[in-house]
Amino acid sequence: MAATIPASFFWPPPGTLSTDDTTLAAMRHGLDPGTLSVYENTVLGFLYAFLPKPPVSPVATLSSAAAGGTEEGEGTDRISALPDELLGRIVARLPAKDGARTAALSTRWRGLWRSAPLVLVDTHFLPRGGADGRPPRPGPASRAVCRAVSAALRTHPGPFPFVSLSCGFMKAVDADRAVLAFWFQHFATKGVEELVFVNRPSHLAGLRLPAALFSCACLRRLYLVAWRFVDTARLPRGASFPNLQELVLGGVAMEDRDLDFLLAASPVLETLAIVGNVNKMHARLASHSLRCAQFCLADIDEVAVVDAPSLERLFIWQGLGQRRGGRIRIQIGRAPRLSMLGYLKPGMHLLEIGNTIIKPGTRPSPKTTVPSVQMLALYLHFRIQNEVKNLASFLRCFPNVETLCIQSVETHEPTGSVNLQFWQGTSPIKCVLSQLKMLMFREFHGDESEFAFLMFVAENAQVLEKMILVMELRAPSAPEELFTKMMALRTARWASGSNKLGYLISQPGVGGNDTWDTWDLKAASDFKCNDPFLCCL
């Protein structure tokens, strides 16, 4: 049975990623597009789309009875009759500025506000609670929000269980450094448990975070966007995050040694996500607590799982090293619980297991396999022969894969097709023969190499339960050709005993609208994708 990982060990959390979110993400940050590069716009759009939602909202709804009152007893102050404990809970669920206003009601209410935990969200200080978006550039609005945040930190004794600051434009100048020092002094002493801290600069990283960040001992979740990380070489001995469980670094400038320090200083860290880092990175994962590591839109040359006995999920998506034509080294050392791995790119990723680099023809052995992996995701150019040959070698490295996700990618420089005879003549692939239960294949175009691989799976996967294809028609003549191939696949001699094929067809329409048809196959109609790893495809 495939491994089950709690939803808390994913970022973005399951259910937050949708087509609408990814399409509109670039508008979420609200910055002036003229000040950003395409890369910065993509990274910031992605990050802003998935910032944690505050536990309080400036938009409140009242029942009709509460809003309108009744004839009998209308105007009676029933709220003040409630006990202090209950009133404190009510105040704690108000936005900071509304909670502060209750202090003007009476001496009793002033004490309630000061004793209640405060959720501090800077967008709530904007007109209409931030409904019109964050300020697109520095100005009176952003400065007023900054002053309001400072005032709240100064006047309220805490605790602050949740703080989200994403409206400030801070530069590497003494005045802004002083503001940061003041804020972090209060974060550390007033029990901040969840901190979302976003800068809005013209470039991703400029101002360095103060060393006082490591004084925030209560932190459990930390999201940092568009900063220069603390200089860990100057931190005092013993600096740590003793309670940090989730860490997201977006557009953060840091050195390799900073990541090493972070992992060593966070003894209970379970989720790490690095999105759009500024400096090229060689990431070495050595952590006994880490369960999920993700690198998205990141400039990385290497991801090495050195010693991660609790690691269950390793996710690498759209690395900049790949886009530049470079090869990224993916090294898997000690990771006995690793069950989900992706997206590997045969031919572009240099896969190393233990001390062995996986190449076409590499024979499986205990030193070249990762038996714990049950879900594997791949990007593949099926028109490049060496990548397809690498695919066979990669699959042999993961003998217990039950779910295989493949995204077929177009290439403008094809080197030829690999036919069914290649797969029939290759040495056995254990996961296909005896473990594979589900194949998710996206962007199937009907190319000979794609079809050969699917036929190989159909004729050899003895326990296959579902083969789901998402297809795109590229030319007017494609439907007939595709239909012929699909009929051959449907009528193949399936090793599992019967046809398990289900598929969707997408044809680009006029004006950018796609037309979707689902062919009436039981496997397709019964298929429901609730797994966040599959949904990310």
Side-chain angles (χ1 to χ4, degrees):
M1 177 179 289
T4 299
I5 299 179
S8 58
F9 299 112
F10 296 93
W11 191 87
T16 61
L17 184 62
S18 69
T19 302
D20 290 339
D21 281 333
T22 53
T23 301
L24 299 175
M27 295 185 284
R28 298 289 178 86
H29 55 68
L31 290 165
D32 182 355
T35 66
L36 302 171
S37 67
V38 173
Y39 173 67
E40 291 171 337
N41 187 60
T42 302
V43 169
L44 291 176
F46 183 83
L47 288 162
Y48 274 80
F50 302 111
L51 290 178
K53 294 181 179 180
V56 302
S57 171
V59 180
T61 58
L62 296 175
S63 68
S64 58
T70 61
E71 293 183 3
E72 184 178 353
E74 186 173 359
T76 301
D77 181 7
R78 297 178 178 176
I79 292 181
S80 296
L82 297 174
D84 285 357
E85 180 183 359
L86 184 55
L87 289 177
R89 293 181 182 180
I90 294 174
V91 173
R93 285 163 173 77
L94 294 175
K97 67 176 182 179
D98 294 330
R101 288 170 180 166
T102 65
L105 297 175
S106 67
T107 303
R108 180 192 181 196
W109 280 94
R110 188 178 307 118
L112 288 172
W113 178 73
R114 287 181 57 82
S115 63
L118 184 66
V119 172
L120 180 59
V121 182
D122 62 354
T123 55
H124 293 173
F125 293 112
L126 293 169
R128 300 181 60 212
D132 297 327
R134 299 172 179 84
R137 59 186 61 85
S142 61
R143 289 192 289 271
V145 168
C146 181
R147 290 193 297 269
V149 169
S150 295
L153 290 170
R154 183 184 307 108
T155 57
H156 196 284
F160 289 75
F162 183 96
V163 175
S164 178
L165 307 179
S166 60
C167 294
F169 294 82
M170 294 196 168
K171 299 180 179 180
V173 296
D174 289 342
D176 288 342
R177 292 190 185 97
V179 171
L180 282 190
F182 175 81
W183 285 359
F184 275 95
Q185 175 188 351
H186 287 275
F187 293 162
T189 58
K190 295 182 178 179
V192 175
E193 296 181 7
E194 299 185 49
L195 175 61
V196 180
F197 199 39
V198 182
N199 199 13
R200 297 168 64 76
S202 57
H203 299 288
L204 281 181
L207 180 58
R208 186 181 294 278
L209 291 168
L213 171 63
F214 280 85
S215 299
C216 301
C218 295
L219 278 175
R220 294 185 295 104
R221 300 176 72 196
L222 176 60
Y223 284 57
L224 299 174
V225 178
W227 299 100
R228 188 168 296 279
F229 197 71
V230 179
D231 185 358
T232 57
R234 298 186 177 184
L235 288 175
R237 185 183 298 273
S240 67
F241 290 128
N243 296 294
L244 188 65
Q245 297 175 334
E246 180 178 337
L247 175 63
V248 177
L249 302 173
V252 172
M254 62 190 307
E255 305 296 331
D256 294 343
R257 69 171 184 269
D258 298 326
L259 179 59
D260 294 341
F261 184 94
L262 265 174
L263 293 175
S266 306
V268 298
L269 183 67
E270 295 180 338
T271 301
L272 169 68
I274 295 179
V275 183
N277 57 300
V278 175
N279 299 337
K280 187 182 299 183
M281 178 176 289
H282 295 77
R284 292 168 51 85
L285 302 181
S287 167
H288 282 218
S289 61
L290 192 65
R291 299 186 66 179
C292 176
Q294 303 179 204
F295 300 86
C296 305
L297 296 165
D299 192 358
I300 52 177
D301 278 348
E302 176 186 26
V303 176
V305 182
V306 180
D307 184 17
S310 300
L311 187 67
E312 299 174 27
R313 184 179 193 239
L314 178 60
F315 180 84
I316 303 166
W317 183 64
Q318 298 294 346
L320 285 191
Q322 301 163 187
R323 295 185 174 186
R324 292 193 303 265
R327 302 190 72 185
I328 297 177
R329 177 174 172 263
I330 310 297
Q331 195 269 339
I332 302 176
R334 182 169 180 258
R337 298 181 63 184
L338 183 64
S339 61
M340 305 172 73
L341 176 63
Y343 291 88
L344 296 184
K345 293 191 173 185
M348 301 182 72
H349 284 165
L350 191 66
L351 178 62
E352 183 175 339
I353 297 177
N355 296 317
T356 302
I357 297 175
I358 307 303
K359 302 176 182 178
T362 299
R363 294 184 177 276
S365 71
K367 293 183 178 181
T368 62
T369 58
V370 186
S372 59
V373 172
Q374 295 179 311
M375 182 176 287
L376 179 66
L378 303 164
Y379 277 115
L380 195 70
H381 298 88
F382 273 90
R383 290 187 174 187
I384 298 180
Q385 287 184 345
N386 285 341
E387 288 200 23
V388 180
K389 293 177 180 178
N390 257 343
L391 171 61
S393 299
F394 274 37
L395 291 177
R396 292 190 188 95
C397 295
F398 307 100
N400 293 319
V401 166
E402 297 181 0
T403 301
L404 178 61
C405 315
I406 292 182
Q407 171 109 21
S408 181
V409 186
E410 286 279 27
T411 179
H412 300 294
E413 299 179 356
T415 61
S417 298
V418 173
N419 56 29
L420 183 57
Q421 283 70 34
F422 164 78
W423 291 103
Q424 291 172 338
T426 192
S427 56
I429 301 176
K430 180 184 175 182
C431 67
V432 174
L433 291 174
S434 61
Q435 300 295 323
L436 188 62
K437 295 180 180 179
M438 178 175 175
L439 172 62
M440 167 75 79
F441 196 109
R442 281 187 61 105
E443 306 303 330
F444 175 69
H445 305 103
D447 293 335
E448 186 64 30
S449 291
E450 296 174 327
F451 179 69
F453 175 71
L454 294 175
M455 286 292 291
F456 168 73
V457 172
E459 294 177 351
N460 290 273
Q462 300 173 20
V463 297
L464 188 69
E465 298 174 358
K466 294 178 182 177
M467 178 187 288
I468 307 297
L469 309 185
V470 180
M471 297 174 283
E472 179 182 347
L473 305 185
R474 294 176 298 169
S477 61
E480 292 78 11
E481 298 174 8
L482 198 57
F483 179 80
T484 300
K485 286 185 169 66
M486 289 301 97
M487 289 302 296
L489 186 56
R490 289 184 65 185
T491 57
R493 185 174 297 176
W494 289 68
S496 57
S498 62
N499 170 28
K500 300 299 193 302
L501 185 63
Y503 40 98
L504 299 171
I505 299 177
S506 168
Q507 184 168 10
V510 179
N513 296 318
D514 291 353
T515 300
W516 287 88
D517 292 312
T518 305
W519 290 12
D520 188 17
L521 292 174
K522 188 175 187 299
S525 61
D526 289 350
F527 174 67
K528 294 181 180 179
C529 180
N530 296 317
D531 194 298
F533 195 68
L534 293 179
C535 291
C536 285
L537 284 168

